[in-house]
Amino acid sequence: MTVKNIVEPGSTLLQVVQQVQQLSAHVRRTLNSSGPGSLGHSSPDASAPAPRPALGSGGAEWELVKVTADLRDEIEHLAARQAASDVVLTEVIVPLLVAVGPDLASELVREIRSGLNVRTPAHDERLQLMTEGYLQRSADGIEARIRAKIAGA
């Protein structure tokens, strides 16, 4: 039996990546167009941090604060979804496979180690390596449960 699994990023992750790229471009444009001292400060104050914008004052600074907060929310949602997936895998699926048949769990490990094709946005090598590392750690955990089941049997 041959199983080919493909791991692809979800739409939420893609949206977060796109928002970060847009934010980065916005900050670059703002810095390049303004430069030091263009906030209206006198020369000695040019290197001082910009004053915090008042709530509701608008402007690029407030937009940056809002976008950053939105990105933090999206990242927290992704982290929560990841934690929920981890719990389902490690506390439900793996123990069930190990209890029903260690051979099934071993097959899962083989597929994780060799049969997954990880796709990341724009062929992001860092993200791909992180994903592959996470998958290998998951396989290590499954193997540990299999060994414990066999030793206890």
Side-chain angles (χ1 to χ4, degrees):
M1 172 173 82
T2 301
V3 177
K4 183 173 183 174
N5 297 299
I6 298 175
V7 179
E8 294 182 334
S11 61
T12 304
L13 176 60
L14 293 175
Q15 287 173 346
V16 169
V17 169
Q18 183 181 22
Q19 288 176 341
V20 169
Q21 289 170 339
Q22 290 171 349
L23 175 63
S24 175
H26 176 70
V27 169
R28 252 193 322 273
R29 282 192 307 274
T30 302
L31 291 176
N32 289 339
S33 67
S34 301
S38 64
L39 296 172
H41 299 296
S42 63
S43 189
D45 293 334
S47 62
R52 299 180 97 183
L55 196 61
S57 68
E61 294 88 2
W62 181 246
E63 183 65 26
L64 183 62
V65 169
K66 184 182 179 325
V67 169
T68 303
D70 290 346
L71 286 173
R72 186 177 306 119
D73 287 345
E74 290 293 327
I75 291 168
E76 288 172 349
H77 283 283
L78 286 170
R81 186 177 356 177
Q82 178 67 41
S85 297
D86 287 350
V87 167
V88 169
L89 178 67
T90 60
E91 301 301 324
V92 178
I93 295 174
V94 170
L96 184 61
L97 282 175
V98 170
V100 169
D103 292 342
L104 288 173
S106 295
E107 179 66 25
L108 176 62
V109 170
R110 279 192 295 279
E111 288 300 321
I112 289 173
R113 295 215 188 275
S114 65
L116 296 179
N117 181 10
V118 178
R119 295 183 189 169
T120 57
H123 305 291
D124 185 332
E125 185 176 339
R126 180 175 176 265
L127 182 58
Q128 184 166 351
L129 288 172
M130 288 173 26
T131 303
E132 289 170 355
Y134 175 77
L135 288 169
Q136 295 307 318
R137 284 189 303 277
S138 294
D140 292 344
I142 296 168
E143 282 181 330
R145 284 186 181 239
I146 294 169
R147 284 191 299 274
K149 169 71 174 177
I150 292 171

